[in-house]
Amino acid sequence: MKNEELKNRDLDVLWHPCSQMKDYESLPLTPVKSGKGVWLEDFEGNKFIDGISSWWVNIFGHSNDYINQKIKEQLDTLEHVIIAGFTHEPIIKLSERLVKITPNGLDKCFYADNGSSAVEVALKMSFHAHKNDGKNKPIFVSLTNSYHGETIGALSVGDVELYKDTYEPLLIKSMQTPTPKDMSIDAAKVAAKEFENLCREKSNEISAIILEPLIQGAGYMHMYHPHFLELVRDICNRYDVHLIADEVMVGFGRTGKLFACEYADITPDFLVLSKGITGGYLPLSVVLTSNDVYAKFYCDYLEYKAFLHSHSYTGNALACAAANATLDIFENENVIKENEKKSAYMLEKLKEFEKLENVLEIRQTGMVSVVELKGYSSEQRIGLKVHQYCLERGVLIRPLGHVVYFMPPYIISYEEIDKMMDTTLEAINNLR
């Protein structure tokens, strides 16, 4: 009864993201009463495995006892203070730790409150740094099939038509360079050559290239080889173009290393982090950059070189406490090593999907496993059918069109992996 009441109250007043609201006439909303570990529970006692970490954020599950404790402790001391002329210990501690664990040469942290906003910070900071050097570089380059958020600047450097086409007249100038077509080294080399050709022609106008290392999240979970990152880093060095690594989705262990850039042993000029940074508890994002970039803005205030960008909730103390607790878990528990075992187990399970006639391809990087379907048109909304089948059987997945993926919290058990993947296998098999 409570479920129905909340559904009706919701639809009277709420407009949900990434939704065609008319869908909720036939696909009812699911009111959530509570969450614990990988499980969500509604008001009628139905339970669902959160197979997507609630949009890729709850890396240590829901209502994590340790993160809960640290937020409660912070709540009794300081909830928030302006981070302009003031500071607090949680943000200092978090910044020191991030500088220590991210690739060498990332020395300064600039905070925002979500991934799209952090992408905007990186874009503006790149352009402004070149401007402070006396260069006008108004063009940004991104990869084909890329996604970096849905604010105007972040949308401008994306390349997923579903999100971008409607707002095309509003967007800033950007260009796309090909994404490696697959996970091979040869594909990485071909794509890097295309980017170098573009730089050879336009580098005096290009401020930066922005990319999602290894996995294009909302770009249907397309994956490529880390050698592409090495080649792009070298090209950027030679043509005075910044490299922005958008690790909003892939950061904090999702790819099998703490940060995806580690696979290529590179340091980007700007590293963008969000989502898992607080364990999924509170909005927070950060852009890390070098002392060299920082120095380009260091001047007397009236020289107009200062980076004047702000968010009201920048460096929120509660969010920083959650982020520090999340890093504690990485430090105190063997998260990456355990994820390697679970990733290997998921890969074996993934091979069962490969046997189905309606599966085009399986692929995996770290704790991201993907099943791409074939033979369906967009009008069939095949992902929605898979979603409904699984939800009715206690598993939450949210396919991207014809691409089904698993991105569970790291604390998922092997039995829960079985339920999540076996249920989805049934769903896809029944489509035939």
Side-chain angles (χ1 to χ4, degrees):
M1 203 57 188
K2 183 76 169 178
N3 273 2
E4 286 304 313
E5 177 200 337
L6 289 175
K7 290 175 194 175
N8 293 332
R9 286 170 58 191
D10 176 290
L11 293 174
D12 278 345
V13 292
L14 280 177
W15 192 343
H16 289 256
C18 281
S19 300
Q20 170 46 258
M21 293 302 294
K22 195 175 191 317
D23 283 348
Y24 294 122
E25 293 177 9
S26 56
L27 178 66
L29 292 162
T30 304
V32 175
K33 177 183 178 182
S34 62
K36 188 65 181 175
V38 301
W39 293 94
L40 300 169
E41 184 174 349
D42 71 9
F43 286 83
E44 295 174 1
N46 299 306
K47 294 184 177 181
F48 313 90
I49 290 178
D50 187 351
I52 57 168
S53 301
S54 285
W55 257 341
W56 321 339
V57 299
N58 289 91
I59 58 177
F60 294 121
H62 299 276
S63 193
N64 181 282
D65 291 341
Y66 183 76
I67 302 175
N68 287 357
Q69 172 196 337
K70 291 302 180 180
I71 292 174
K72 289 173 184 174
E73 290 174 5
Q74 183 61 43
L75 189 60
D76 289 332
T77 305
L78 176 69
E79 80 299 336
H80 182 66
V81 68
I82 180 175
I83 300 296
F86 285 80
T87 190
H88 54 76
E89 189 172 9
I91 196 172
I92 296 169
K93 180 179 178 182
L94 176 60
S95 302
E96 289 171 340
R97 297 173 84 178
L98 289 173
V99 166
K100 184 177 179 180
I101 65 176
T102 52
N104 289 335
L106 296 173
D107 312 299
K108 290 292 190 291
C109 300
F110 192 101
Y111 289 88
D113 49 23
N114 65 81
S116 297
S117 294
V119 166
E120 301 263 353
V121 168
L123 297 175
K124 289 175 64 178
M125 203 176 275
S126 171
F127 173 79
H128 199 163
H130 285 301
K131 186 178 178 67
N132 286 350
D133 269 346
K135 303 164 188 172
N136 182 31
K137 293 190 158 203
I139 296 175
F140 291 94
V141 175
S142 60
L143 302 184
T144 54
N145 191 54
S146 59
Y147 173 91
H148 297 285
E150 293 174 48
T151 52
I152 294 299
L155 200 61
S156 297
V157 293
D159 188 47
V160 179
E161 293 178 359
L162 175 67
Y163 302 101
K164 185 172 181 176
D165 279 6
T166 301
Y167 307 103
E168 191 68 42
L170 305 178
L171 305 182
I172 64 175
K173 187 185 293 186
S174 71
M175 302 178 73
Q176 276 70 52
T177 189
T179 302
K181 68 177 183 178
D182 56 38
M183 298 176 73
S184 68
I185 289 182
D186 285 344
K189 291 177 179 178
V190 169
K193 187 174 181 180
E194 290 291 330
F195 175 54
E196 179 158 19
N197 290 340
L198 179 60
C199 286
R200 193 176 290 118
E201 180 185 348
K202 293 273 190 180
S203 63
N204 63 326
E205 300 175 71
I206 296 172
S207 187
I209 179 172
I210 181 170
L211 50 76
E212 303 158 272
L214 304 188
I215 308 173
Q216 296 185 303
Y220 303 99
M221 297 294 166
H222 181 75
M223 300 177 182
Y224 60 85
H225 196 280
H227 186 53
F228 181 68
L229 300 176
E230 298 177 53
L231 296 173
V232 168
R233 175 69 277 180
D234 176 63
I235 294 164
C236 288
N237 290 344
R238 288 187 283 111
Y239 287 91
D240 188 28
V241 171
H242 290 145
L243 172 57
I244 302 172
D246 175 358
E247 292 215 25
V248 168
M249 185 270 279
V250 297
F252 298 100
R254 186 55 75 177
T255 65
K257 293 186 182 291
L258 197 54
F259 301 103
C261 284
E262 293 177 40
Y263 279 98
D265 193 24
I266 63 158
T267 299
D269 298 289
F270 303 93
L271 177 64
V272 183
L273 303 171
S274 190
K275 289 196 183 291
I277 192 172
T278 65
Y281 271 71
L282 290 160
L284 185 72
S285 62
V286 61
V287 177
L288 286 99
T289 192
S290 65
N291 279 328
D292 287 344
V293 169
Y294 175 80
K296 296 180 190 300
F297 295 86
Y298 202 84
C299 62
D300 292 330
Y301 188 82
L302 292 180
E303 288 185 40
Y304 300 106
K305 288 186 176 182
F307 188 62
L308 301 180
H309 183 103
S310 58
H311 295 269
S312 300
Y313 282 94
T314 291
N316 174 265
L318 293 175
C320 289
N324 277 311
T326 299
L327 293 185
D328 287 346
I329 295 173
F330 275 109
E331 284 185 11
N332 298 331
E333 300 178 20
N334 208 349
V335 177
I336 300 297
K337 201 70 179 173
E338 286 302 310
N339 279 0
E340 287 178 6
K341 298 175 188 175
K342 290 176 182 176
S343 175
Y345 186 78
M346 289 173 69
L347 182 58
E348 289 305 309
K349 302 283 294 184
L350 202 58
K351 290 175 182 176
E352 292 299 309
F353 291 83
E354 205 169 22
K355 300 172 184 177
L356 301 181
E357 293 176 1
N358 54 344
V359 169
L360 175 65
E361 181 184 61
I362 62 167
R363 51 187 181 269
Q364 186 190 65
T365 298
M367 289 290 283
V368 182
S369 298
V370 177
V371 180
E372 184 167 350
L373 305 180
K374 65 180 178 181
Y376 302 104
S377 66
S378 58
E379 290 76 20
Q380 290 174 282
R381 303 190 70 186
I382 204 66
L384 185 61
K385 294 176 182 177
V386 174
H387 167 77
Q388 286 180 287
Y389 183 97
C390 292
L391 199 63
E392 289 167 3
R393 290 155 181 82
V395 175
L396 168 61
I397 59 169
R398 201 170 193 272
L400 295 158
H402 66 294
V403 173
V404 179
Y405 68 91
F406 306 101
M407 205 184 294
Y410 303 157
I411 59 165
I412 193 168
S413 70
Y414 291 94
E415 293 77 17
E416 289 160 346
I417 290 172
D418 286 343
K419 178 174 175 60
M420 175 182 71
M421 298 186 75
D422 290 348
T423 302
T424 309
L425 182 67
E426 287 175 17
I428 295 173
N429 192 35
N430 285 345
L431 292 174
R432 298 186 301 162

